[in-house]
Amino acid sequence: MMRLSGKLINFFTNLLNRIITIKKNTYMETYGIGGTDVQGDASEAISEIAQNKTLMIEKLTAEAPFKPEIVEGLTSIDDVFNHFRPSIEVDFEDSEGVSKEEELSFKGLADFGVKGITAQSHFLQDLTNEKEQFLKIIKQLKSNKLLRKALENGETKEAMLNTIYALVKEVEEA
């Protein structure tokens, strides 16, 4: 997960830097003699991040460009995504230490959320499904008094485990 966090931080950093550069280039104007530069309040468009949130930033590309590119005419976030087509290859590691590489691409700001990233990754979809199954089991253990009582007794717990193992074996053989 540490490799994933570092890559995402670099990815978002590069994306924000490019958006800021584009915004600066869009609003830059030249003034002649006697012109007055009136700066707008930049804090209007930037909101503070709540204390209970984490901002992760990442580069748009794996390698920094040799020569910075000035892009003009991009006036919206959608234009930025359509022009740069940000994507990144991420290494996921399962509980057994097996590494799986997937490419995540971003077509809009919604793709950076949990749902957007999970929708692109089979690995994360499998983890989400597993998490939901565990939550259902926990809910059953908390609400089902008969099941809880059966698990407290050593003999009935052993019998239930044997039944579960037999079911798993049957499913695997099918």
Side-chain angles (χ1 to χ4, degrees):
M1 286 307 278
M2 293 304 289
R3 287 184 281 165
L4 174 63
S5 297
K7 283 186 176 183
L8 286 175
I9 289 171
N10 291 336
F11 184 81
F12 282 111
T13 302
N14 194 1
L15 177 64
L16 287 176
N17 286 338
R18 289 200 178 194
I19 291 171
I20 290 169
T21 302
I22 290 167
K23 286 287 187 185
K24 283 182 182 177
N25 291 338
T26 303
Y27 295 113
M28 289 179 109
E29 295 184 25
T30 54
Y31 297 99
I33 297 175
T36 306
D37 185 13
V38 178
Q39 295 290 331
D41 186 12
S43 64
E44 295 172 7
I46 301 171
S47 60
E48 270 190 45
I49 298 172
Q51 292 295 323
N52 63 347
K53 303 285 184 196
T54 302
L55 175 64
M56 294 180 19
I57 302 172
E58 177 71 28
K59 297 188 308 184
L60 277 171
T61 56
E63 300 294 325
F66 180 70
K67 182 178 177 186
E69 175 186 3
I70 297 176
V71 179
E72 296 181 14
L74 302 179
T75 58
S76 69
I77 298 293
D78 291 334
D79 292 342
V80 173
F81 281 103
N82 290 333
H83 178 77
F84 291 106
R85 301 184 193 282
S87 65
I88 189 165
E89 290 186 4
V90 180
D91 288 322
F92 293 108
E93 189 174 304
D94 65 8
S95 60
E96 294 153 5
V98 177
S99 181
K100 182 179 180 186
E101 189 172 294
E102 291 185 348
E103 182 174 350
L104 303 176
S105 59
F106 304 93
K107 296 172 184 76
L109 291 176
D111 291 339
F112 290 100
V114 173
K115 290 180 182 177
I117 291 175
T118 304
Q120 297 182 52
S121 169
H122 294 292
F123 180 81
L124 293 177
Q125 288 173 2
D126 291 343
L127 282 180
T128 302
N129 291 337
E130 192 175 320
K131 174 186 162 191
E132 289 173 4
Q133 292 301 319
F134 285 140
L135 290 175
K136 286 180 184 178
I137 291 169
I138 290 171
K139 183 178 178 182
Q140 280 295 319
L141 289 172
K142 287 182 177 179
S143 63
N144 192 331
K145 292 179 184 177
L146 291 174
L147 178 62
R148 234 183 321 159
K149 199 173 233 182
L151 291 175
E152 289 173 358
N153 185 341
E155 291 177 17
T156 56
K157 181 178 180 180
E158 186 69 32
M160 286 182 66
L161 282 174
N162 290 335
T163 305
I164 291 171
Y165 290 137
L167 288 172
V168 168
K169 185 177 180 182
E170 185 178 322
V171 168
E172 288 175 348
E173 291 174 356

